[in-house]
């Protein structure tokens, strides 16, 4: 079994669609173990050795888990497959997660940067 290219179908209202598409594409087109800082990020490569029905089920579970954990701004609405001979071509339907809120004004990033400026090297 092989995994073909992933197609994304986006719902209305995605204001950051280009960035989110790139993030989702990278995440769902990569196997776990290929991201240095997050070895658990990505699709489990064991699906390659599974029969097509089992690989489909495992891929769906990995997609939902990875999007929820690593790109909480998105929600997976549906996953369909165009399959060829032992090749899966996932079609992932995404939308903005209306529950997700992140406020940069609550961030401590500015304070940390300001403190680091005090210790500049000469």
């Amino acid at each position: 079994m092989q995994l073909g290219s992933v197609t994304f179908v986006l719902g209305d209202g995605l204001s950051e669609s280009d960035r989110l598409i790139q993030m989702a594409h990278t995440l769902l087109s990569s196997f776990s173990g290929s991201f240095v800082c997050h070895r658990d990020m990505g699709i489990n490569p064991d699906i390659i050795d599974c029969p097509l029905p089992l690989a489909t089920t495992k891929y769906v579970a990995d997609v939902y888990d990875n999007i929820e954990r690593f790109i909480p701004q998105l929600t997976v609405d549906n996953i369909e497959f165009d399959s060829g001979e032992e090749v899966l071509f996932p079609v992932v339907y995404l939308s903005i997660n209306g529950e997700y809120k992140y406020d940069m004004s609550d961030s401590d990033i500015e304070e940390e940067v300001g403190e680091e400026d005090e210790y500049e090297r000469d």
Side-chain angles (χ1 to χ4, degrees):
M1 198 279 308
Q2 291 180 327
L3 183 62
S5 62
V6 180
T7 303
F8 294 96
V9 179
L10 299 169
D12 294 335
L14 289 179
S15 60
E16 301 176 342
S17 61
D18 290 338
R19 183 178 67 84
L20 294 172
I21 290 170
Q22 183 178 14
M23 289 170 60
H25 185 271
T26 300
L27 180 64
L28 301 179
S29 298
S30 301
F31 289 119
S32 58
S34 59
F35 294 98
V36 176
C37 294
H38 292 284
R39 294 289 181 191
D40 57 340
M41 228 169 123
I43 302 300
N44 186 339
D46 294 341
I47 67 169
I48 299 298
D49 297 327
C50 295
L52 203 56
L54 182 58
T56 302
T57 302
K58 286 185 172 193
Y59 184 84
V60 168
D62 277 358
V63 167
Y64 278 96
D65 181 53
N66 275 279
I67 293 294
E68 183 179 313
R69 289 177 63 203
F70 300 110
I71 312 175
Q73 302 94 320
L74 293 176
T75 299
V76 179
D77 294 328
N78 191 21
I79 302 170
E80 297 176 353
F81 292 91
D82 296 331
S83 57
E85 189 174 314
E86 294 298 313
V87 180
L88 284 179
F89 295 98
V91 179
V92 181
Y93 292 82
L94 301 170
S95 62
I96 288 288
N97 181 355
E99 301 288 318
Y100 181 80
K101 301 282 188 250
Y102 180 75
D103 187 2
M104 287 294 289
S105 65
D106 293 337
S107 176
D108 295 331
I109 293 173
E110 290 180 23
E111 292 175 20
E112 291 175 14
V113 171
E115 290 174 12
E116 288 177 348
D117 290 343
E118 295 176 17
Y119 301 104
E120 289 182 19
R121 293 184 184 182
D122 294 324

PDB file of all heavy atoms in Angstrom, residues 56-71:
ATOM      1  N   THR A  56      -6.694   2.702   5.909  1.00  0.00           N
ATOM      2  CA  THR A  56      -7.668   3.797   5.839  1.00  0.00           C
ATOM      3  C   THR A  56      -8.129   4.196   7.233  1.00  0.00           C
ATOM      4  O   THR A  56      -8.144   5.374   7.585  1.00  0.00           O
ATOM      5  CB  THR A  56      -8.876   3.388   4.970  1.00  0.00           C
ATOM      6  OG1 THR A  56      -8.416   3.035   3.680  1.00  0.00           O
ATOM      7  CG2 THR A  56      -9.875   4.510   4.859  1.00  0.00           C
ATOM      8  N   THR A  57      -8.481   3.208   8.044  1.00  0.00           N
ATOM      9  CA  THR A  57      -8.936   3.465   9.410  1.00  0.00           C
ATOM     10  C   THR A  57      -7.850   4.122  10.246  1.00  0.00           C
ATOM     11  O   THR A  57      -8.095   5.092  10.966  1.00  0.00           O
ATOM     12  CB  THR A  57      -9.376   2.141  10.076  1.00  0.00           C
ATOM     13  OG1 THR A  57     -10.407   1.562   9.276  1.00  0.00           O
ATOM     14  CG2 THR A  57      -9.882   2.374  11.473  1.00  0.00           C
ATOM     15  N   LYS A  58      -6.623   3.615  10.147  1.00  0.00           N
ATOM     16  CA  LYS A  58      -5.508   4.185  10.923  1.00  0.00           C
ATOM     17  C   LYS A  58      -5.182   5.605  10.459  1.00  0.00           C
ATOM     18  O   LYS A  58      -4.865   6.467  11.271  1.00  0.00           O
ATOM     19  CB  LYS A  58      -4.268   3.298  10.808  1.00  0.00           C
ATOM     20  CG  LYS A  58      -4.368   2.025  11.596  1.00  0.00           C
ATOM     21  CD  LYS A  58      -3.071   1.249  11.537  1.00  0.00           C
ATOM     22  CE  LYS A  58      -3.126   0.071  12.478  1.00  0.00           C
ATOM     23  NZ  LYS A  58      -1.791  -0.515  12.679  1.00  0.00           N
ATOM     24  N   TYR A  59      -5.261   5.841   9.155  1.00  0.00           N
ATOM     25  CA  TYR A  59      -4.983   7.185   8.637  1.00  0.00           C
ATOM     26  C   TYR A  59      -6.004   8.187   9.165  1.00  0.00           C
ATOM     27  O   TYR A  59      -5.648   9.272   9.601  1.00  0.00           O
ATOM     28  CB  TYR A  59      -4.969   7.192   7.106  1.00  0.00           C
ATOM     29  CG  TYR A  59      -4.599   8.544   6.545  1.00  0.00           C
ATOM     30  CD1 TYR A  59      -3.265   8.913   6.407  1.00  0.00           C
ATOM     31  CD2 TYR A  59      -5.567   9.463   6.168  1.00  0.00           C
ATOM     32  CE1 TYR A  59      -2.916  10.169   5.915  1.00  0.00           C
ATOM     33  CE2 TYR A  59      -5.233  10.718   5.678  1.00  0.00           C
ATOM     34  CZ  TYR A  59      -3.900  11.053   5.550  1.00  0.00           C
ATOM     35  OH  TYR A  59      -3.558  12.299   5.072  1.00  0.00           O
ATOM     36  N   VAL A  60      -7.281   7.815   9.142  1.00  0.00           N
ATOM     37  CA  VAL A  60      -8.340   8.703   9.647  1.00  0.00           C
ATOM     38  C   VAL A  60      -8.082   9.043  11.112  1.00  0.00           C
ATOM     39  O   VAL A  60      -8.161  10.206  11.516  1.00  0.00           O
ATOM     40  CB  VAL A  60      -9.734   8.065   9.448  1.00  0.00           C
ATOM     41  CG1 VAL A  60     -10.798   8.815  10.227  1.00  0.00           C
ATOM     42  CG2 VAL A  60     -10.085   8.026   7.971  1.00  0.00           C
ATOM     43  N   ALA A  61      -7.764   8.052  11.921  1.00  0.00           N
ATOM     44  CA  ALA A  61      -7.489   8.294  13.339  1.00  0.00           C
ATOM     45  C   ALA A  61      -6.288   9.218  13.514  1.00  0.00           C
ATOM     46  O   ALA A  61      -6.316  10.141  14.340  1.00  0.00           O
ATOM     47  CB  ALA A  61      -7.250   6.971  14.056  1.00  0.00           C
ATOM     48  N   ASP A  62      -5.236   9.004  12.730  1.00  0.00           N
ATOM     49  CA  ASP A  62      -4.045   9.864  12.811  1.00  0.00           C
ATOM     50  C   ASP A  62      -4.353  11.298  12.394  1.00  0.00           C
ATOM     51  O   ASP A  62      -3.839  12.244  12.985  1.00  0.00           O
ATOM     52  CB  ASP A  62      -2.914   9.309  11.938  1.00  0.00           C
ATOM     53  CG  ASP A  62      -2.110   8.229  12.635  1.00  0.00           C
ATOM     54  OD1 ASP A  62      -2.392   7.929  13.811  1.00  0.00           O
ATOM     55  OD2 ASP A  62      -1.181   7.687  11.996  1.00  0.00           O
ATOM     56  N   VAL A  63      -5.167  11.478  11.368  1.00  0.00           N
ATOM     57  CA  VAL A  63      -5.513  12.824  10.907  1.00  0.00           C
ATOM     58  C   VAL A  63      -6.245  13.588  12.004  1.00  0.00           C
ATOM     59  O   VAL A  63      -5.867  14.707  12.358  1.00  0.00           O
ATOM     60  CB  VAL A  63      -6.357  12.791   9.612  1.00  0.00           C
ATOM     61  CG1 VAL A  63      -6.971  14.157   9.319  1.00  0.00           C
ATOM     62  CG2 VAL A  63      -5.510  12.340   8.443  1.00  0.00           C
ATOM     63  N   TYR A  64      -7.281  12.972  12.562  1.00  0.00           N
ATOM     64  CA  TYR A  64      -8.039  13.637  13.628  1.00  0.00           C
ATOM     65  C   TYR A  64      -7.136  13.952  14.820  1.00  0.00           C
ATOM     66  O   TYR A  64      -7.178  15.059  15.366  1.00  0.00           O
ATOM     67  CB  TYR A  64      -9.238  12.786  14.074  1.00  0.00           C
ATOM     68  CG  TYR A  64     -10.436  12.928  13.188  1.00  0.00           C
ATOM     69  CD1 TYR A  64     -10.693  12.018  12.169  1.00  0.00           C
ATOM     70  CD2 TYR A  64     -11.327  13.979  13.365  1.00  0.00           C
ATOM     71  CE1 TYR A  64     -11.811  12.156  11.355  1.00  0.00           C
ATOM     72  CE2 TYR A  64     -12.441  14.131  12.551  1.00  0.00           C
ATOM     73  CZ  TYR A  64     -12.671  13.210  11.550  1.00  0.00           C
ATOM     74  OH  TYR A  64     -13.776  13.354  10.735  1.00  0.00           O
ATOM     75  N   ASP A  65      -6.305  13.006  15.230  1.00  0.00           N
ATOM     76  CA  ASP A  65      -5.419  13.204  16.375  1.00  0.00           C
ATOM     77  C   ASP A  65      -4.402  14.312  16.112  1.00  0.00           C
ATOM     78  O   ASP A  65      -4.210  15.202  16.939  1.00  0.00           O
ATOM     79  CB  ASP A  65      -4.696  11.897  16.713  1.00  0.00           C
ATOM     80  CG  ASP A  65      -3.777  12.047  17.902  1.00  0.00           C
ATOM     81  OD1 ASP A  65      -4.239  12.525  18.961  1.00  0.00           O
ATOM     82  OD2 ASP A  65      -2.582  11.684  17.779  1.00  0.00           O
ATOM     83  N   ASN A  66      -3.755  14.290  14.959  1.00  0.00           N
ATOM     84  CA  ASN A  66      -2.720  15.278  14.650  1.00  0.00           C
ATOM     85  C   ASN A  66      -3.279  16.688  14.506  1.00  0.00           C
ATOM     86  O   ASN A  66      -2.685  17.642  15.001  1.00  0.00           O
ATOM     87  CB  ASN A  66      -1.971  14.877  13.380  1.00  0.00           C
ATOM     88  CG  ASN A  66      -0.859  13.912  13.655  1.00  0.00           C
ATOM     89  OD1 ASN A  66       0.221  14.306  14.072  1.00  0.00           O
ATOM     90  ND2 ASN A  66      -1.116  12.634  13.450  1.00  0.00           N
ATOM     91  N   ILE A  67      -4.409  16.830  13.827  1.00  0.00           N
ATOM     92  CA  ILE A  67      -4.997  18.165  13.671  1.00  0.00           C
ATOM     93  C   ILE A  67      -5.417  18.704  15.034  1.00  0.00           C
ATOM     94  O   ILE A  67      -5.147  19.861  15.372  1.00  0.00           O
ATOM     95  CB  ILE A  67      -6.181  18.149  12.680  1.00  0.00           C
ATOM     96  CG1 ILE A  67      -5.696  17.848  11.259  1.00  0.00           C
ATOM     97  CG2 ILE A  67      -6.949  19.468  12.721  1.00  0.00           C
ATOM     98  CD1 ILE A  67      -4.804  18.912  10.638  1.00  0.00           C
ATOM     99  N   GLU A  68      -6.055  17.875  15.847  1.00  0.00           N
ATOM    100  CA  GLU A  68      -6.502  18.322  17.167  1.00  0.00           C
ATOM    101  C   GLU A  68      -5.322  18.721  18.060  1.00  0.00           C
ATOM    102  O   GLU A  68      -5.379  19.726  18.758  1.00  0.00           O
ATOM    103  CB  GLU A  68      -7.300  17.205  17.838  1.00  0.00           C
ATOM    104  CG  GLU A  68      -7.862  17.592  19.191  1.00  0.00           C
ATOM    105  CD  GLU A  68      -8.673  16.466  19.807  1.00  0.00           C
ATOM    106  OE1 GLU A  68      -9.507  15.882  19.092  1.00  0.00           O
ATOM    107  OE2 GLU A  68      -8.454  16.169  20.983  1.00  0.00           O
ATOM    108  N   ARG A  69      -4.249  17.975  18.010  1.00  0.00           N
ATOM    109  CA  ARG A  69      -3.101  18.237  18.882  1.00  0.00           C
ATOM    110  C   ARG A  69      -2.196  19.361  18.395  1.00  0.00           C
ATOM    111  O   ARG A  69      -1.704  20.152  19.191  1.00  0.00           O
ATOM    112  CB  ARG A  69      -2.251  16.973  19.023  1.00  0.00           C
ATOM    113  CG  ARG A  69      -2.913  15.898  19.849  1.00  0.00           C
ATOM    114  CD  ARG A  69      -2.087  14.646  19.914  1.00  0.00           C
ATOM    115  NE  ARG A  69      -0.819  14.926  20.582  1.00  0.00           N
ATOM    116  CZ  ARG A  69       0.257  14.188  20.408  1.00  0.00           C
ATOM    117  NH1 ARG A  69       0.250  13.164  19.593  1.00  0.00           N
ATOM    118  NH2 ARG A  69       1.374  14.487  21.053  1.00  0.00           N
ATOM    119  N   PHE A  70      -1.952  19.438  17.088  1.00  0.00           N
ATOM    120  CA  PHE A  70      -0.923  20.334  16.583  1.00  0.00           C
ATOM    121  C   PHE A  70      -1.434  21.538  15.808  1.00  0.00           C
ATOM    122  O   PHE A  70      -0.698  22.513  15.630  1.00  0.00           O
ATOM    123  CB  PHE A  70       0.080  19.546  15.730  1.00  0.00           C
ATOM    124  CG  PHE A  70       0.773  18.459  16.495  1.00  0.00           C
ATOM    125  CD1 PHE A  70       0.504  17.134  16.249  1.00  0.00           C
ATOM    126  CD2 PHE A  70       1.678  18.778  17.490  1.00  0.00           C
ATOM    127  CE1 PHE A  70       1.143  16.133  16.963  1.00  0.00           C
ATOM    128  CE2 PHE A  70       2.321  17.791  18.213  1.00  0.00           C
ATOM    129  CZ  PHE A  70       2.059  16.456  17.954  1.00  0.00           C
ATOM    130  N   ILE A  71      -2.656  21.498  15.314  1.00  0.00           N
ATOM    131  CA  ILE A  71      -3.233  22.654  14.627  1.00  0.00           C
ATOM    132  C   ILE A  71      -4.659  22.844  15.151  1.00  0.00           C
ATOM    133  O   ILE A  71      -5.638  22.595  14.449  1.00  0.00           O
ATOM    134  CB  ILE A  71      -3.237  22.494  13.087  1.00  0.00           C
ATOM    135  CG1 ILE A  71      -1.890  22.022  12.574  1.00  0.00           C
ATOM    136  CG2 ILE A  71      -3.592  23.828  12.424  1.00  0.00           C
ATOM    137  CD1 ILE A  71      -1.862  21.720  11.089  1.00  0.00           C
TER     138      ILE A  71
END
